[in-house]
Amino acid sequence: MFCLNALSKKLRPEVLFGQTSRNRATLENWAVLVDKENKVSRWRQLNDQVFEPLKKGEERRPAFVCHEKRDIWYSFKKLYIVSCFVRGLSVDDAVNQLNFVPAKGAKIVKDTILEAQEIAVRDHNVEFKSNLWVAESFPEHSYRMMGYRRHARGVMHPIKLGHVHYLVRLEEGPPPKHYYYHSRPRTPQELLDQWFEELRARKISNSL
Amino acid sequence: MAFRLLPFQPVLGHVHCSLRGILCASSVEYKQVREFVNNKHRDMKFRNLRRLKVDTKVPLKYMNKYERGVKEGYYQNIRNIKKLWREREIVASASNQVVDEFVPPENLGTAITEEIKKKWSDIGKFGKDKLAIRKIRQFEPEFNLKVFQPDALEIYIKAHECLASNDLDSLGDYVTEHARLTMLLNASKRTIHWKFLQSLESPKVVQVRLFKIDEAGSTFAQLTVRLLTQQMLAVYDRFGRLIYGSEILAKDVLEYAVFEKQLSDEYGTWRLHGKVIPNDRIRMAEHTFVASKEQPQESSAVMTETAPEEDKQAVIAK
């Protein structure tokens, strides 16, 4: 038995090719993410769904494109500020505004929007390329690498090199006046109801 | 982040602080450009040296699978080379062309003159068509044009039904590989509603051709068939918006469809290979689009206007 075990250890592919089993598991997982020909990210898979034909009297469905840029070495918080800045603007407006933002994230956002604009005209039956607006734009966390900073006397200090994805969705048509739900214009009836609710919800101290 | 308004600075990159004033004085245009000023690096000379302290190597964990395999010598082994270069067989089950394309008569309507009738009735009696049919009978002795003509219409209908229902597995039984590419080119992510209503005239074979691809002797036969049918077509976008046609309207369609068969193959079948479309009847684009620079459009209004203006200015200057 001992001999057999020793033989099997030598003949194992990990030993032959210099790979441990733990390494291989991580490699395969990573290959799934990297291999773009076979695997498309979940965000870009939204471009593949086909809707049913419109019925009579139904509203025209606006076209949309989802696009992204993956694995950028940039901080999440800095990109979040720029991505919020663009929301609810038309494409031409957004590109003009981003030219005056002195940040690395502005270039990332601008390039993805312009790429998405091209794809919309090419593949998704959008007639006029300036008739698009930024419906969604947000960053997402990617992997994090560890770098090292050298100090005096051989001291090494680890640095986290965070990577990030940027995701954007363009939609056909003119942009809405109020992008966020909380900034929508309210009717007098709604304001009245809101005021009554506030009154009823209040607490009178030292009461029953 | 601190922002400060600075005059226009023509030199890109990081410049020594003392040079800034000189450059600003020399530059003629004073544009207000917003620039980021970092307070950390007072002396830019040491910026690069500070960066060298930081080590940002890509760890092995994040390398590509094949990249790492080649680096560690995994793919030098002969057994594993097949994973990189995969060899596949080539089977010439269909040709890549329409040989000796049929030129349809100029009469685009449905009316057939007596001259054309004579030509079609005499098919198989003179010239290339006769030779081709004789050679086809060497492979299939029971071949008959009159029997084939109704079969061709069935193949035509089934091929289009497969395309409309997105049944790509059974599309290969009715369509060659050459036609499959052209059919599926613009069909992806679109819904097609297609209905065959009736055939107004019985289909007729117009031309018969026979040719070889290679010297080994794989022979192909191509028949062009005239089809006059009534169809309904409606094509929808990915978002369900109508692009072309309508559900209500029935149209009379005149087509010259090409059918192909590999005769040297025992199990070869007649399949739809292509359509003969004259250049006059190609549909123009319905949407606006940006023309490419290689194909400039005809003389535009701007080009004609600029020339006289220059002349006027020249006259005034004199």
Side-chain angles (χ1 to χ4, degrees):
Chain A
M1 285 298 289
F2 178 73
C3 285
L4 273 171
N5 274 329
L7 270 174
S8 62
K9 258 186 188 177
K10 276 182 188 174
L11 290 173
R12 229 184 284 162
E14 300 152 15
V15 179
L16 280 172
F17 308 123
Q19 278 184 340
T20 57
S21 60
R22 190 186 292 169
N23 256 341
R24 192 181 291 168
T26 54
L27 277 173
E28 280 169 10
N29 290 333
W30 182 247
V32 166
L33 291 173
V34 167
D35 196 1
K36 284 172 185 171
E37 292 177 0
N38 300 323
K39 197 88 176 175
V40 184
S41 70
R42 217 174 297 159
W43 181 251
R44 223 181 278 179
Q45 277 176 20
L46 295 172
N47 287 332
D48 297 336
Q49 61 172 317
V50 179
F51 295 93
E52 288 183 356
L54 294 170
K55 287 166 191 171
K56 209 174 183 182
E58 207 171 346
E59 273 190 24
R60 191 181 158 85
R61 208 175 274 144
F64 68 87
V65 195
C66 299
H67 197 55
E68 66 182 350
K69 219 164 231 197
R70 294 184 78 80
D71 303 338
I72 312 154
W73 179 16
Y74 198 52
S75 81
F76 182 86
K77 286 179 184 175
K78 286 177 185 173
L79 192 60
Y80 179 76
I81 292 161
V82 182
S83 65
C84 291
F85 173 66
V86 173
R87 282 175 195 171
L89 295 174
S90 67
V91 167
D92 294 344
D93 223 351
V95 172
N96 284 331
Q97 290 289 327
L98 285 168
N99 284 331
F100 295 99
V101 178
K104 187 187 165 185
K107 206 198 168 190
I108 294 160
V109 173
K110 202 178 86 175
D111 288 354
T112 41
I113 286 170
L114 288 171
E115 276 178 18
Q117 197 185 24
E118 273 188 21
I119 292 163
V121 174
R122 199 183 61 208
D123 297 338
H124 299 285
N125 196 28
V126 175
E127 197 171 357
F128 304 106
K129 69 174 186 178
S130 57
N131 190 21
L132 288 164
W133 63 283
V134 184
E136 284 177 61
S137 81
F138 57 94
E140 206 171 62
H141 282 293
S142 179
Y143 60 84
R144 179 178 282 176
M145 293 197 320
M146 298 301 284
Y148 289 94
R149 181 186 155 80
R150 204 182 72 234
H151 285 277
R153 294 169 193 175
V155 179
M156 302 295 273
H157 183 257
I159 308 166
K160 296 166 191 168
L161 305 168
H163 285 61
V164 80
H165 311 306
Y166 175 66
L167 317 176
V168 73
R169 206 193 86 212
L170 303 183
E171 206 171 290
E172 201 181 10
K177 275 186 178 177
H178 306 280
Y179 177 78
Y180 292 105
Y181 182 73
H182 58 75
S183 69
R184 71 192 185 282
R186 289 174 175 80
T187 56
Q189 187 62 39
E190 274 180 336
L191 288 166
L192 193 75
D193 293 342
Q194 193 184 338
W195 185 56
F196 276 129
E197 274 182 23
E198 281 173 11
L199 287 176
R200 280 165 192 156
R202 74 190 159 162
K203 191 191 172 189
I204 299 163
S205 57
N206 300 327
S207 66
L208 286 172
Chain B
M1 281 163 56
F3 295 109
R4 202 179 293 163
L5 284 172
L6 282 176
F8 180 66
Q9 199 173 330
V11 181
L12 289 170
H14 303 289
V15 188
H16 199 274
C17 285
S18 60
L19 278 174
R20 270 185 188 163
I22 301 162
L23 286 166
C24 294
S26 64
S27 59
V28 181
E29 296 179 357
Y30 284 96
K31 287 180 184 177
Q32 282 192 339
V33 177
R34 191 178 272 185
E35 195 181 295
F36 174 70
V37 178
N38 199 345
N39 292 325
K40 278 181 185 174
H41 300 281
R42 287 289 161 84
D43 199 350
M44 285 296 188
K45 197 166 73 182
F46 302 114
R47 193 189 161 103
N48 282 324
L49 291 171
R50 278 209 188 92
R51 198 171 55 194
L52 288 172
K53 280 185 181 179
V54 183
D55 188 22
T56 56
K57 267 185 195 172
V58 180
L60 280 173
K61 206 170 79 178
Y62 301 118
M63 203 179 272
N64 196 357
K65 193 171 136 190
Y66 292 110
E67 253 175 64
R68 189 181 168 169
V70 171
K71 199 177 181 183
E72 294 193 349
Y74 184 68
Y75 290 116
Q76 286 176 8
N77 200 343
I78 295 164
R79 274 180 289 170
N80 296 311
I81 277 174
K82 279 183 184 175
K83 287 176 186 173
L84 287 176
W85 297 280
R86 220 171 260 173
E87 292 178 356
R88 286 172 187 170
E89 293 178 355
I90 292 172
V91 181
S93 61
S95 70
N96 199 17
Q97 54 187 345
V98 178
V99 174
D100 206 358
E101 203 170 277
F102 176 73
V103 181
E106 291 179 1
N107 187 8
L108 297 174
T110 55
I112 305 164
T113 56
E114 288 186 1
E115 291 178 9
I116 297 165
K117 260 191 181 178
K118 267 189 185 179
K119 272 187 189 173
W120 292 346
S121 63
D122 292 343
I123 200 165
K125 289 180 183 175
F126 301 104
K128 286 180 183 176
D129 301 323
K130 189 188 178 182
L131 282 168
I133 288 168
R134 208 184 270 171
K135 275 187 181 175
I136 289 168
R137 276 179 187 149
Q138 288 177 3
F139 292 96
E140 313 173 43
E142 295 176 357
F143 180 75
N144 193 1
L145 280 179
K146 285 180 184 175
V147 177
F148 172 75
Q149 282 164 358
D151 290 344
L153 208 145
E154 277 184 23
I155 295 162
Y156 175 86
I157 293 163
K158 277 178 182 172
H160 285 78
E161 276 174 358
C162 285
L163 179 72
S165 62
N166 206 11
D167 188 5
L168 302 182
D169 294 331
S170 57
L171 187 69
D173 300 339
Y174 309 110
V175 162
T176 59
E177 282 76 12
H178 174 65
R180 187 192 163 92
L181 280 173
T182 49
M183 281 172 96
L184 297 178
L185 184 68
N186 291 322
S188 62
K189 295 177 194 171
R190 284 174 189 184
T191 47
I192 299 165
H193 286 213
W194 185 81
K195 216 179 275 178
F196 181 82
L197 301 171
Q198 57 176 342
S199 69
L200 298 169
E201 283 182 21
S202 57
K204 275 174 187 171
V205 175
V206 180
Q207 201 181 51
V208 187
R209 288 287 179 274
L210 199 128
F211 64 98
K212 284 182 181 179
I213 280 183
D214 52 348
E215 293 174 357
S218 60
T219 51
F220 289 89
Q222 283 185 353
L223 302 178
T224 49
V225 184
R226 180 185 181 274
L227 299 164
L228 205 153
T229 53
Q230 213 172 38
Q231 299 171 8
M232 184 277 292
L233 177 71
V235 183
Y236 293 94
D237 197 3
R238 186 164 81 84
F239 308 100
R241 308 179 296 190
L242 192 75
I243 302 171
Y244 182 72
S246 74
E247 297 257 5
I248 310 161
L249 207 122
K251 270 196 175 182
D252 302 342
V253 182
L254 184 105
E255 276 175 332
Y256 294 90
V258 181
F259 291 85
E260 198 190 56
K261 185 185 177 179
Q262 191 184 10
L263 293 170
S264 52
D265 186 12
E266 272 192 24
Y267 306 104
T269 50
W270 289 103
R271 294 186 293 175
L272 190 67
H273 187 64
K275 285 174 187 174
V276 179
I277 304 165
N279 287 324
D280 308 335
R281 272 198 285 167
I282 289 173
R283 191 162 59 85
M284 293 295 287
E286 292 178 349
H287 291 282
T288 51
F289 63 95
V290 180
S292 59
K293 286 178 183 175
E294 293 174 359
Q295 301 171 344
Q297 287 184 339
E298 291 175 5
S299 60
S300 59
V302 181
M303 291 291 282
T304 50
E305 282 176 11
T306 49
E309 281 179 10
E310 288 175 358
D311 292 335
K312 276 178 189 175
Q313 287 175 354
V315 169
I316 291 159
K318 282 174 184 177

